[in-house]
């Protein structure tokens, strides 16, 4: 093996460097915000690792041991490690479609990726490094995660999709005190998903096949803090030809190669961190300095129900037969401070799974973790990537604790904060201490969130935009502008200004009987390409799809109001309520089919029974439709989440209760029950008893 590297590595290195420069030279590379932001991120980490720390009285870290960015240490590269990466790839696929004669084609493709890696390094006294690493990476959920459209055959469309790429590689390099360079090579494999639409046996026929190939690459890695390293890596993967035949008789085969530039973060796995300064603390995973932090979360939800009364059902009904579905999400929260007042936050996220009945059938859907885009295999998305600029106005200060997307600091209470980039609107609006986070609190959509507020988002809850917040001691006011989907429930955004989501919120803070409380008053207006229920019903009945709201879409404005209350009763007990309203004339663009809602509930800590980190919660929500929406759905209309084909209208009513059992300081398991009466506002169906188990971990 050593002889192979000595003889072949210099030539391979030259070829891969040449490919790397060509890779950077591609014009569309510069247009990828994910990688450009990632490159800035890595560069900032390098600066942070070598720079000076802020003054000690400028920062207070309360959840993780602070590690001074000016600390000097010699990094021990030997040992096990694990981490994650984001990537941008370009490639070329060669395919042949037989229908029945063969048609060959060559197709370029590109995609963003994200995944995990783990490995082991061993450093000789000479500083030569030998290692082994395995990784798996997943394409983003948008359509350019597909390689390409393979072609058309007998009136059908054939697609070729990458589900994942994995490698098992050796590493050989040279380790300096704080950084190292390496070459890498080994075995690669990938799952291919060939699809033909429409299929003989349904909407789509699929063939799953495993590709095999090889991978070569080179990289550099820098120790940015004790136990933590950042890397940049180039990989070239080559995969051989695989072939399949669909039930229709259409044959298809393809092979591809792919070049990838990765940015990664690794954590050394050891119970005693020999590299850590004496004052760095002994906590293995959380890390926070005066300039950057890293956090993460993992959530698994299993949810199901037994069969319920269902005399009929439509294309967007909750299935009457019993079922169980699960979802998984894993998120990294990486933040770094460019300079005082300016922070950047980046959240790579991997999700997988299905909501009940493909996330349809209940307006107040029973799981906040169920995305509208269902993934049979994990999918990557750069969930958040935004800049936060804070301007302090002096006077009294407060401490902001270290946490996800929150670098610890002392800051003026009187301040202006401006945020711009990719984010979730609900991160900053419609907050509530007791009912806001579906990963740790209530699972139901309209208990944890928004009711009739048409939350603008892609199919996994994120959008692009900007907002500003003026904060004072007893109040705050927020306003924002965000992109809306081009049409209802799509991942493509409307880029035409002034189309968009306009939102404002006033937050009032007060004390009642010495206990804190907050009242939030929110208003919003969505200017978007929408149809109205009345216009759809006025269309002539010419097709089986009547009423078809897609035929009457044009730029319109929908709006609404919300009041959101939270009140602590004691140190262990808190109550909350939300009331929302919109006129209900237009179709929903992003959230769920709801025009009015009222929710209320309470959360109790387990202090009285000796488990202060446990939580028990109970809440109820009642939701309604406008008269125009009722007529539309009664005629067979379809919304984002509902459409039984008929409607015997009655308000939808949901009761939810949960018990969150703390396993330790960083994980919990939750048992959740929801009773849904009149699902999708239909008195002919239900009630439904929905049970769920949730495992959540965070660091």
């Amino acid at each position: 093996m050593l002889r192979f590297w000595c003889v072949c590595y210099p030539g391979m290195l030259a070829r891969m460097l040449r490919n790397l420069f060509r890779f950077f030279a591609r014009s569309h590379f510069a247009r990828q915000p994910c990688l450009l932001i990632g490159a800035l991120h890595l560069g900032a980490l390098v600066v942070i690792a070598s720079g000076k720390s802020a003054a000690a009285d400028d920062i207070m870290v309360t959840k993780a041991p602070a590690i001074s960015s000016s600390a000097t240490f010699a990094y021990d590269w030997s040992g096990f490690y694990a981490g994650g990466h984001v990537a941008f790839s370009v490639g070329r696929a060669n395919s042949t479609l037989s229908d029945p004669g063969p048609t060959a084609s060559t197709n370029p493709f590109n995609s963003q990726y994200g995944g995990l890696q783990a490995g082991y390094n061993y450093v000789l006294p000479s500083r030569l490094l030998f290692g082994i690493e395995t990784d798996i990476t997943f394409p983003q959920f948008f359509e350019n995660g597909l390689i390409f459209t393979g072609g058309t055959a007998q009136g059908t469309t054939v697609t070729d999709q990458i589900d994942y790429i994995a490698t098992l590689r050796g590493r050989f390099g040279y380790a300096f005190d704080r950084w190292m360079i390496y070459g890498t090579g080994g075995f690669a494999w990938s799952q291919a998903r060939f699809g033909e639409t429409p299929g003989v046996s349904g909407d789509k026929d699929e063939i799953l096949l495993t590709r095999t190939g090889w991978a070569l690459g080179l990289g550099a890695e820098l120790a940015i803090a004790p136990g933590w390293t950042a890397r940049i890596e180039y990989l070239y993967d080559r995969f051989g030809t695989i072939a399949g035949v669909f039930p229709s008789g259409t044959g298809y085969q393809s092979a591809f190669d792919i070049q990838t530039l990765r940015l990664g973060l690794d954590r050394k796995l050891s119970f005693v961190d020999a590299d850590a300064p004496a004052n760095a603390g002994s906590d293995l995973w959380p890390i926070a300095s005066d300039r950057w932090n890293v956090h993460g979360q993992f959530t698994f939800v299993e949810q199901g129900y037994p069969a319920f009364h269902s005399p009929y059902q439509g294309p967007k009904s909750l299935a009457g037969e019993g079922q169980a579905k699960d979802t998984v999400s894993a998120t990294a929260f990486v933040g770094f401070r460019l300079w005082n007042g300016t922070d950047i936050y980046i959240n790579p996220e991997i999700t997988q799974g299905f909501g009940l009945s493909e996330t349809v059938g209940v307006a107040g859907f029973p799981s906040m973790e169920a995305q509208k885009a269902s993934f049979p295999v994990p999918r990557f998305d750069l969930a958040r990537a935004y800049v936060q600029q804070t301007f302090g106005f002096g006077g009294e200060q407060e401490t902001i604790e270290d946490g996800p997307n929150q670098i610890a600091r002392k800051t003026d209470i009187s301040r202006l904060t401006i945020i711009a980039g990719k984010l979730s609107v609900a991160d900053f609006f419609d907050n509530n201490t007791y009912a806001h986070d579906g990963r740790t609190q209530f699972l139901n959509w309209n208990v944890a969130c928004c009711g009739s507020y048409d939350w603008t988002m892609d199919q996994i809850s994120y959008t692009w935009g900007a907002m500003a917040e003026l904060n004072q001691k007893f109040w705050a006011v927020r306003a924002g502008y965000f992109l809306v989907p081009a049409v209802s429930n799509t991942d493509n955004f409307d880029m035409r200004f002034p189309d968009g989501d306009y939102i404002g919120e006033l937050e009032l803070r007060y004390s009642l009987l010495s206990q804190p409380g907050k009242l939030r008053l929110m208003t919003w207006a969505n200017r978007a390409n929408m149809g109205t229920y009345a216009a759809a019903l006025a269309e002539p009945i010419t097709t089986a799809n009547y009423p078809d709201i897609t035929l009457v879409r044009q730029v319109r404005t929908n709006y609404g109001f919300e009041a959101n209350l939270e009140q602590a009763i004691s140190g262990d007990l808190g109550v909350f309520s939300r009331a929302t309203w919109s006129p209900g004339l237009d179709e929903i663009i992003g959230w769920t089919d709801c025009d009015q809602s009222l929710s209320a509930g309470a959360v109790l800590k387990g202090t009285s029974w000796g488990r202060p980190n446990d939580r028990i919660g109970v809440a109820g929500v009642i939701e309604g439709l406008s008269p125009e929406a009722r007529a539309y759905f009664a005629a067979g209309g379809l919304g984002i989440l509902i459409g039984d084909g008929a409607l015997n209208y009655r308000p939808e009513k949901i009761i939810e209760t949960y018990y969150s059992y703390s396993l330790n300081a960083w994980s919990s398991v939750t048992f959740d029950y929801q009773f849904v009466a009149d699902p999708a506002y239909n008195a002919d169906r239900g009630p439904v008893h929905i049970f769920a188990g949730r495992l959540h971990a965070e660091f």
Side-chain angles (χ1 to χ4, degrees):
M1 180 68 180
L2 181 60
R3 181 179 179 184
F4 169 82
W5 277 106
C6 292
V7 173
C8 300
Y9 183 68
M12 291 180 181
L13 180 62
R15 286 192 294 273
M16 284 186 285
L17 282 172
R18 184 172 62 250
N19 286 339
L20 181 59
F21 285 122
R22 290 175 177 172
F23 180 79
F24 271 108
R26 294 176 183 263
S27 60
H28 59 263
F29 172 78
R31 298 195 296 267
Q32 299 298 318
C34 168
L35 200 56
L36 292 179
I37 293 171
L40 177 62
H41 176 198
L42 185 68
L45 289 180
V46 172
V47 172
I48 290 165
S50 59
K52 295 183 178 181
S53 65
D57 60 357
D58 288 341
I59 195 73
M60 180 185 296
V61 177
T62 58
K63 288 190 177 180
I67 297 177
S68 171
S69 57
S70 62
T72 58
F73 58 93
Y75 192 78
D76 180 8
W77 292 93
S78 293
F80 290 98
Y81 62 89
H85 61 266
V86 296
F88 178 73
S89 299
V90 296
R92 182 184 64 236
N94 299 306
S95 65
T96 301
L97 180 67
S98 300
D99 178 33
T103 301
S105 62
T106 299
N107 296 271
F109 63 92
N110 67 84
S111 182
Q112 297 170 13
Y113 284 77
L116 305 171
Q117 69 271 352
Y120 179 82
N121 291 325
Y122 181 75
V123 180
L124 299 175
S126 63
R127 308 302 295 170
L128 289 176
L129 179 145
F130 293 88
I132 186 169
E133 180 173 292
T134 185
D135 64 66
I136 186 166
T137 189
F138 305 99
Q140 67 169 354
F141 82 101
F142 293 111
E143 285 189 356
N144 63 356
L146 297 174
I147 291 181
F148 59 93
T149 298
T152 57
Q154 303 174 10
T156 65
T157 299
V158 176
T159 56
D160 188 343
Q161 182 177 357
I162 298 172
D163 278 348
Y164 64 82
I165 295 174
T167 69
L168 178 62
R169 296 175 280 112
R171 298 209 303 173
F172 172 71
Y174 188 85
F176 299 89
D177 282 349
R178 297 281 297 278
W179 63 286
M180 67 103 162
I181 55 175
Y182 62 90
T184 182
F187 178 66
W189 67 99
S190 174
Q191 180 166 287
R193 185 178 296 267
F194 296 165
E196 185 177 34
T197 308
V200 172
S201 55
D203 294 337
K204 186 175 185 178
D205 288 330
E206 291 188 334
I207 303 173
L208 299 181
L209 298 170
T210 300
R211 303 180 189 267
T212 57
W214 49 268
L216 285 176
L218 54 89
E221 202 161 343
L222 172 70
I224 56 176
W228 290 87
T229 62
R231 68 163 70 181
I232 184 169
E233 183 177 71
Y234 165 80
L235 280 179
Y236 174 81
D237 299 316
R238 177 75 178 181
F239 291 94
T241 301
I242 55 173
V245 179
F246 294 100
S248 65
T250 301
Y252 179 78
Q253 65 179 33
S254 70
F256 74 90
D257 60 357
I258 186 170
Q259 299 182 67
T260 303
L261 184 65
R262 292 181 174 180
L263 302 173
L265 196 64
D266 290 314
R267 171 61 178 166
K268 189 175 179 181
L269 302 179
S270 60
F271 292 101
V272 178
D273 195 341
D275 300 320
N279 64 349
S282 59
D283 200 348
L284 178 64
W285 283 104
I287 183 169
S289 81
D290 51 8
R291 293 299 181 187
W292 70 290
N293 68 355
V294 178
H295 290 269
Q297 76 83 29
F298 170 87
T299 304
F300 171 81
V301 176
E302 179 79 23
Q303 191 169 60
Y305 59 83
F308 65 91
H309 179 69
S310 177
Y312 60 87
Q313 58 190 47
K316 292 199 172 181
S317 294
L318 193 68
E321 61 274 12
Q323 60 173 310
K325 301 289 184 180
D326 58 73
T327 58
V328 177
S329 69
T331 315
F333 305 94
V334 181
F336 57 94
R337 180 160 294 149
L338 295 182
W339 48 78
N340 281 345
T342 305
D343 299 340
I344 293 180
Y345 296 103
I346 299 174
N347 295 175
E349 186 168 71
I350 293 175
T351 55
Q352 178 187 5
F354 300 86
L356 297 171
S357 292
E358 306 294 331
T359 318
V360 298
V362 185
F365 198 77
S367 176
M368 285 287 285
E369 282 289 275
Q371 311 294 348
K372 296 170 186 171
S374 299
F375 307 136
V377 294
R379 282 288 177 265
F380 164 77
D381 184 47
L382 191 65
R384 300 174 184 88
Y386 62 88
V387 179
Q388 177 175 296
Q389 176 66 55
T390 303
F391 302 95
F393 299 139
E396 186 178 355
Q397 290 193 322
E398 64 179 346
T399 297
I400 304 298
E401 295 185 345
D402 169 71
N405 292 340
Q406 188 170 283
I407 301 175
R409 69 189 188 276
K410 282 186 176 179
T411 186
D412 297 342
I413 292 177
S414 178
R415 63 184 182 269
L416 174 66
T417 303
I418 298 174
I419 296 170
K422 186 180 183 184
L423 45 77
S424 171
V425 178
D427 289 343
F428 305 98
F429 294 87
D430 190 39
N431 210 325
N432 192 291
T433 299
Y434 306 108
H436 186 69
D437 185 357
R439 289 168 175 167
T440 61
Q441 300 171 330
F442 293 97
L443 275 168
N444 189 275
W445 283 22
N446 283 346
V447 174
C449 194
C450 308
S452 66
Y453 165 50
D454 192 2
W455 177 3
T456 179
M457 62 173 72
D458 59 24
Q459 289 187 319
I460 56 172
S461 304
Y462 305 105
T463 186
W464 294 83
M467 62 161 288
E469 178 188 72
L470 177 61
N471 186 78
Q472 299 296 311
K473 188 169 185 177
F474 297 109
W475 58 270
V477 62
R478 308 174 186 94
Y481 166 80
F482 304 96
L483 297 182
V484 294
V487 294
S488 176
N489 195 32
T490 184
D491 296 318
N492 300 315
F493 289 108
D494 184 348
M495 308 295 290
R496 302 168 301 177
F497 185 82
D499 294 1
D501 174 42
Y502 299 82
I503 184 170
E505 184 177 66
L506 172 64
E507 178 180 305
L508 303 174
R509 306 172 188 131
Y510 61 90
S511 179
L512 180 64
L513 301 178
S514 301
Q515 295 295 331
K518 294 180 182 179
L519 173 65
R520 298 176 180 88
L521 303 173
M522 189 175 81
T523 183
W524 57 274
N526 284 349
R527 176 183 164 92
N529 184 24
M530 299 177 285
T532 70
Y533 300 125
L537 289 170
E539 285 289 302
I541 303 176
T542 58
T543 69
N545 294 328
Y546 177 85
D548 187 353
I549 205 165
T550 66
L551 300 176
V552 295
R553 284 174 174 163
Q554 64 183 55
V555 176
R556 310 175 193 271
T557 300
N558 190 19
Y559 64 94
F561 305 95
E562 176 180 311
N564 178 337
L565 177 70
E566 63 178 70
Q567 177 63 56
I569 304 302
S570 68
D572 290 333
L573 176 64
V575 297
F576 68 92
S577 180
R578 279 187 181 90
T580 73
W581 176 89
S582 67
L585 304 178
D586 306 307
E587 69 175 322
I588 300 300
I589 195 73
W591 182 229
T592 186
D593 306 286
C594 175
D595 301 322
Q596 308 98 33
S597 72
L598 177 64
S599 65
V603 176
L604 177 67
K605 295 181 182 179
T607 305
S608 61
W609 58 92
R611 295 195 56 82
N613 293 324
D614 288 5
R615 302 286 188 276
I616 185 169
V618 61
V621 59
I622 182 169
E623 303 149 343
L625 292 174
S626 68
E628 292 81 1
R630 298 175 202 173
Y632 170 78
F633 287 108
L638 300 178
I640 291 182
L641 260 66
I642 68 172
D644 291 332
L647 182 65
N648 179 12
Y649 178 77
R650 190 177 292 169
E652 184 177 85
K653 298 169 285 292
I654 301 170
I655 295 174
E656 178 178 7
T657 184
Y658 73 85
Y659 187 95
S660 177
Y661 182 87
S662 176
L663 299 175
N664 48 44
W666 51 270
S667 66
S668 63
V669 60
T670 300
F671 306 94
D672 184 276
Y673 166 73
Q674 296 178 54
F675 173 83
V676 182
D678 310 308
Y681 311 100
N682 197 339
D684 292 341
R685 308 182 75 243
V688 190
H689 301 271
I690 301 176
F691 303 88
R694 176 179 62 202
L695 174 65
H696 175 75
E698 61 185 40
F699 67 87

